[in-house]
Amino acid sequence: MQPATPLVLCVLLSQVLLLTSAEDLDCTPGFQQKVFHIDQPAEFIEDQAILNLTFSDCKGNDKLHYEVSSPYFRVNTDGSLVALRNITAVGKTLFVHARTPHAEDMAELVIVGGKDIQGSLQDIFKFARTSPVPRQKRSIVVSPILIPENQRQPFPRDVGKVVDSDRPEGSKFRLTGKGVDQEPKGIFRINENTGSVSVTRNLDRETIATYQLFVETVDVNGRTLEGPVPLEVIVIDQNDNRPIFREGPYIGHVMEGSPTGTTVMRMTAFDADDPATDNALLRYNIRQQTPDKPSPNMFYIDPEKGDIVTVVSPALLDRETLENPKYELIIEAQDMAGLDVGLTGTATATIMIDDKNDHSPKFTKKEFQATVEEGAMGVIVNLTVEDKDDPTTGAWRAAYTIINGNPGQSFEIHTNPQTNEGMLSVVKPLDYEISAFHTLLIKVENEDPLVPDVSYGSSSTATVHITVLDANESPVFYPDPMMVTKQENISVGSVLLTVNATDPDSLQRQTIRYSVYKDPAGWLNINPINGTVDTTALLDRESPFVHNSVYTALFLATDSGNPPATGTGTLLITLEDVNDNAPFIYPTVAEVCDDAKNLSVVILGATDKDLHPNTDPFKFEIHKQTVPDKVWKISKINNTHALVSLLQNLNKANYHLPIMVTDSGKPPMTNITDLRVQVCSCKNSKVDCNAAGAPHFSAATALLLSLFSLALFKCK
């Protein structure tokens, strides 16, 4: 709590205002007459006085200003109302507003016989309330009441008084508003006889800073006689709130080597007290710095703004030499402009000294050694570097490059993200016989560029010596795959080709032996010494082991190393077709009714496993007839189909008709197949073939199937 002096001053000020108001009771601010009645003339004449208005603010009417609700009228300084031009209709009412810095009032002019015009009062006349002085009523005199917050007992206590010079006998004062009859209720009350205003408990300015009350006088029945008049209660602030840092955590960053005076961050606190008083006027200072090296005063805070800046030389802001790149500052904010009587609040500011790339990476040694077996791949050596910069930044992370010794692109180098080491790998198999040694020159840089005054030196390059160890490599067939074309059915023992495999280990004297690895049909043999491949059976293009006329076999070549190494070679044999398959017909069974009017029996199709030209066109013939001549007939439909028909109806029985079909090969091949024709009794939609075990296809059904086969062939 503050000393009682402000309270005494407020009480004295209230008494002075009350005395002043009492002295002016004989003068009532405002218009002396508020309502005028004038008759509507035929025309209002320009600059001709209509009536005179009398206004007084009881202070000399300094800066008196009039406003008229109609733009066609004005009030001169002597109070005369005049028209600005000749006008006939202005409506039924005019309003005149008068205002000084001390008072304001409004008068109403009723025009008898006037006619309504468009527009409401709010649209026609708008007050410009620029004066902070509340409008004063004719009789009730009030002054703002000032009350310090956090007052102590006793309560209630008088804080002000309302005066009414013309209050009728028996009338009473009534107080309303927020804090009286509205929540929070019961804070203020008024002596209904004397007008003394009192407060019933202590106030908190931070909860409610002002109360807008209303005073009026009422008769014994509670009817309003005068008012209501606004009464403002202002709560005077006391320094009862500490500064608070509300926006934490406070974390700032500053680059190492930054110039003296570099701004790091801003710390601002909040004080709930009145910002127009010293109760909320804050000053900042640094209470503690941790760590306190290399200087206990690494930073400074602007006492008014709260800006934290560096105060040491750039050399002392070297992250690599600091004991800890993180500083914690205890910041204190004190109100009352930093006076000893002010309240304080504290917060911690964390300042990180950020790294910049002022140290280049350096290899831990100038030369590295690696050994790798020929043919092997993967990481062969890890190159180590040192860098003093922050391991969490691109100023520390290394990027490696092979700058010499890798013309075949057999090597690659990548950075290990955990250790920052360079992982040198073989990505293409090395050949001992071509080169047993390799020398690489490696360069290392940072992901981030170096600062201008730092450069990469000789320590940023290193040499890697790689020794390739000889290994027993597998023999290699050439070419691979091996391809040969032969006619099928060549004689057994025919030589197809001689395979050739070489040993990459040219510096070693080794022999190679051959063997069959995969021969699905069992047709081949290979000489283990010279690699000659011959046949052990007839080659058949139509074999299920042949795909698209190509037969595939695999061979092995094994050297005499210890342990031996084996290579695999592929042989593709393309088989040329010969006419070694006779055609065959389908179907081989048909039915026909003994009284059929359509004597067509069946459409025959033919197929051949060989390839063109050893297939169609096919020739269809009836080989022999066991019945009288001219009973059966066969007619060609196209290259692959023919129609078998009867020349006359036959009795019910089974007939065997030998069909001979011949392909177009040279020499051609012929096949004779019996076509079994069942002549059946067809009565009342019932088919009776009376043949045990015989299939029951009607002639129509057989013919339909044959036509379907023919259609499929044409689609091909």
Side-chain angles (χ1 to χ4, degrees):
M1 293 289 295
Q2 287 285 86
T5 302
L7 176 59
V8 174
L9 290 176
C10 291
V11 173
L12 290 176
L13 177 59
S14 177
Q15 297 302 319
V16 170
L17 290 172
L18 290 173
L19 289 173
T20 302
S21 298
E23 293 173 359
D24 293 342
L25 288 178
D26 294 337
C27 177
T28 301
F31 285 105
Q32 300 304 309
Q33 181 179 342
K34 294 185 179 296
V35 180
F36 298 85
H37 292 79
I38 61 174
D39 294 328
Q40 169 72 53
E43 186 177 38
F44 290 101
I45 307 302
E46 183 178 356
D47 289 335
Q48 180 178 316
I50 301 170
L51 57 82
N52 288 319
L53 302 167
T54 303
F55 173 86
S56 174
D57 66 353
C58 302
K59 300 289 185 179
N61 281 356
D62 184 38
K63 298 182 180 178
L64 175 59
H65 176 70
Y66 292 99
E67 292 176 322
V68 185
S69 60
S70 171
Y72 306 114
F73 295 87
R74 75 162 181 263
V75 178
N76 295 325
T77 56
D78 60 358
S80 59
L81 176 67
V82 298
L84 297 178
R85 64 181 179 83
N86 295 344
I87 188 171
T88 56
V90 297
K92 291 183 177 181
T93 308
L94 291 177
F95 296 93
V96 178
H97 178 242
R99 184 180 71 250
T100 73
H102 305 288
E104 62 180 342
D105 202 358
M106 186 168 67
E108 181 180 2
L109 282 67
V110 179
I111 302 174
V112 180
K115 297 181 180 180
D116 286 332
I117 60 174
Q118 298 296 323
S120 63
L121 173 62
Q122 183 178 5
D123 296 330
I124 299 172
F125 188 75
K126 297 181 180 178
F127 293 107
R129 293 184 175 271
T130 58
S131 171
V133 178
R135 182 180 176 187
Q136 301 181 30
K137 291 295 181 180
R138 188 164 48 188
S139 300
I140 300 177
V141 179
V142 298
S143 297
I145 297 176
L146 288 75
I147 307 175
E149 66 174 333
N150 303 325
Q151 286 183 317
R152 297 179 180 177
Q153 294 283 357
F155 291 105
R157 63 171 67 191
D158 291 341
V159 292
K161 191 172 184 181
V162 177
V163 177
D164 188 347
S165 59
D166 296 333
R167 183 161 65 94
E169 185 176 352
S171 63
K172 298 178 181 180
F173 289 104
R174 182 162 64 189
L175 188 64
T176 59
K178 183 178 179 180
V180 182
D181 57 348
Q182 301 175 26
E183 293 296 340
K185 296 180 180 179
I187 296 179
F188 303 99
R189 61 191 182 193
I190 190 169
N191 187 307
E192 60 184 16
N193 295 316
T194 66
S196 178
V197 180
S198 60
V199 64
T200 62
R201 59 178 183 261
N202 63 3
L203 305 179
D204 183 3
R205 189 202 69 85
E206 287 70 47
T207 302
I208 302 178
T210 61
Y211 296 85
Q212 192 69 36
L213 309 180
F214 296 92
V215 181
E216 57 186 344
T217 57
V218 297
D219 61 17
V220 292
N221 295 319
R223 292 193 296 265
T224 300
L225 299 175
E226 189 75 32
V229 176
L231 170 61
E232 186 177 25
V233 178
I234 302 172
V235 183
I236 301 175
D237 186 43
Q238 301 292 308
N239 191 21
D240 58 346
N241 289 278
R242 292 182 178 275
I244 300 174
F245 291 90
R246 300 190 299 185
E247 300 175 358
Y250 296 91
I251 301 175
H253 294 264
V254 61
M255 189 68 69
E256 65 172 327
S258 295
T260 303
T262 298
T263 300
V264 181
M265 60 190 300
R266 172 171 287 188
M267 297 278 288
T268 54
F270 168 78
D271 196 311
D273 290 321
D274 188 351
T277 68
D278 284 356
N279 296 337
L281 184 59
L282 304 182
R283 293 293 181 264
Y284 302 92
N285 68 88
I286 299 175
R287 293 295 303 271
Q288 182 180 333
Q289 171 190 301
T290 305
D292 60 358
K293 298 192 174 133
S295 168
N297 300 304
M298 299 285 288
F299 305 95
Y300 165 80
I301 188 168
D302 187 300
E304 296 183 4
K305 297 180 180 179
D307 289 339
I308 300 177
V309 299
T310 62
V311 293
V312 295
S313 66
L316 290 181
L317 277 180
D318 185 358
R319 185 188 173 282
E320 287 72 38
T321 61
L322 292 176
E323 177 182 317
N324 189 338
K326 180 174 76 172
Y327 286 87
E328 290 189 347
L329 308 180
I330 304 299
I331 306 299
E332 178 185 76
Q334 187 170 28
D335 59 23
M336 299 300 293
L339 296 178
D340 291 341
V341 296
L343 302 177
T344 62
T346 61
T348 299
T350 301
I351 299 178
M352 307 297 300
I353 311 300
D354 291 338
D355 187 38
K356 64 180 181 181
N357 199 7
D358 55 352
H359 293 85
S360 62
K362 298 178 180 179
F363 283 103
T364 56
K365 52 186 178 181
K366 290 297 296 179
E367 294 185 348
F368 294 85
Q369 306 291 330
T371 301
V372 59
E373 283 192 358
E374 68 170 328
M377 292 191 293
V379 177
I380 58 174
V381 66
N382 291 314
L383 310 183
T384 53
V385 295
E386 293 178 345
D387 196 317
K388 295 181 180 180
D389 291 315
D390 184 357
T392 64
T393 67
W396 177 80
R397 290 190 292 270
Y400 298 87
T401 307
I402 302 173
I403 59 177
N404 196 14
N406 190 28
Q409 305 301 309
S410 300
F411 302 93
E412 286 184 0
I413 189 166
H414 300 280
T415 305
N416 186 316
Q418 280 74 42
T419 64
N420 215 30
E421 294 177 346
M423 301 182 296
L424 182 62
S425 303
V426 176
V427 294
K428 291 183 181 180
L430 302 177
D431 191 338
Y432 172 84
E433 284 71 31
I434 295 177
S435 177
F437 300 96
H438 296 268
T439 301
L440 304 180
L441 186 61
I442 310 294
K443 174 181 70 174
V444 62
E445 295 178 340
N446 289 131
E447 289 183 3
D448 292 347
L450 295 173
V451 296
D453 55 342
V454 177
S455 60
Y456 295 103
S458 59
S459 298
S460 296
T461 58
T463 302
V464 182
H465 299 286
I466 302 164
T467 301
V468 181
L469 302 178
D470 190 22
N472 187 24
E473 300 174 80
S474 302
V476 178
F477 284 88
Y478 182 83
D480 190 26
M482 301 160 282
M483 292 181 287
V484 65
T485 300
K486 296 292 181 179
Q487 274 194 346
E488 64 174 333
N489 297 336
I490 60 175
S491 59
V492 176
S494 298
V495 174
L496 300 181
L497 80 166
T498 299
V499 301
N500 179 40
T502 58
D503 193 339
D505 299 307
S506 57
L507 301 181
Q508 302 179 28
R509 290 183 170 273
Q510 296 188 131
T511 58
I512 295 177
R513 294 185 64 84
Y514 300 97
S515 60
V516 176
Y517 179 41
K518 286 186 178 180
D519 179 17
W523 292 342
L524 305 177
N525 174 65
I526 189 170
N527 187 302
I529 305 301
N530 60 23
T532 298
V533 178
D534 55 15
T535 63
T536 60
L538 292 178
L539 307 183
D540 183 8
R541 192 199 65 82
E542 291 75 34
S543 167
F545 299 107
V546 177
H547 302 285
N548 296 325
S549 301
V550 176
Y551 180 72
T552 302
L554 300 180
F555 298 95
L556 299 179
T558 305
D559 65 18
S560 56
N562 187 19
T566 301
T568 304
T570 301
L571 172 62
L572 302 178
I573 306 173
T574 300
L575 296 176
E576 295 178 340
D577 186 43
V578 298
N579 195 18
D580 57 349
N581 290 278
F584 57 90
I585 65 168
Y586 60 90
T588 59
V589 178
E591 290 180 356
V592 64
C593 292
D594 56 359
D595 58 352
K597 294 181 180 180
N598 184 359
L599 298 180
S600 296
V601 177
V602 67
I603 294 177
L604 298 179
T607 186
D608 194 318
K609 293 182 180 180
D610 292 320
L611 297 178
H612 192 77
N614 296 321
T615 58
D616 61 273
F618 298 113
K619 180 180 179 181
F620 296 88
E621 298 174 280
I622 298 176
H623 183 56
K624 289 181 180 180
Q625 295 200 36
T626 59
V627 295
D629 291 341
K630 297 186 180 180
V631 174
W632 304 97
K633 179 182 178 182
I634 189 166
S635 305
K636 178 179 178 181
I637 297 176
N638 55 29
N639 289 343
T640 58
H641 289 77
L643 174 64
V644 176
S645 57
L646 284 169
L647 297 178
Q648 63 186 45
N649 291 109
L650 296 178
N651 293 328
K652 177 182 174 182
N654 288 338
Y655 298 89
H656 293 272
L657 184 64
I659 302 298
M660 183 171 66
V661 59
T662 306
D663 63 25
S664 297
K666 293 183 179 180
M669 294 196 71
T670 298
N671 180 32
I672 299 174
T673 303
D674 276 349
L675 173 65
R676 186 174 66 172
V677 180
Q678 294 176 294
V679 179
C680 307
S681 173
C682 304
K683 303 294 184 180
N684 298 324
S685 302
K686 293 183 179 180
V687 178
D688 180 14
C689 295
N690 195 23
H696 296 283
F697 291 108
S698 68
T701 302
L703 184 61
L704 181 62
L705 291 173
S706 300
L707 288 172
F708 179 70
S709 170
L710 177 61
L712 287 178
F713 175 80
K714 289 184 176 180
C715 289
K716 294 180 181 180

